[in-house]
């Protein structure tokens, strides 16, 4: 059985090209971060309106 992986794209084109050429990556996908995650602020995605911090 040949195992192939789905991997998220992390912005490194060289790494993505190497992964694709390896034959071990079934797909390289873009993942949108959830609201409140550290990466979310980079994309300018605001926190979800229904999520409130408890005091």
């Amino acid at each position: 059985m040949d195992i192939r992986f789905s991997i998220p794209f992390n912005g490194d084109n060289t790494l993505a090209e190497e992964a694709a050429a390896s034959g071990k990556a079934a797909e390289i996908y873009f993942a949108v971060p959830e609201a409140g995650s550290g990466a979310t602020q980079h994309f300018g995605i605001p926190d979800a309106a229904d999520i409130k911090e408890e005091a």
Side-chain angles (χ1 to χ4, degrees):
M1 172 192 278
D2 187 28
I3 298 174
R4 294 177 50 141
F5 300 92
S6 295
I7 58 174
F9 178 68
N10 69 351
D12 186 338
N13 288 326
T14 302
L15 181 61
E17 289 172 10
E18 290 177 12
S22 74
K24 293 292 184 181
E27 64 180 354
I28 301 170
Y29 62 91
F30 292 96
V32 177
E34 295 179 9
S37 72
T40 300
Q41 295 169 355
H42 172 74
F43 290 103
I45 300 171
D47 288 341
D50 61 344
I51 299 175
K52 306 243 188 286
E53 286 189 31
E54 296 293 325

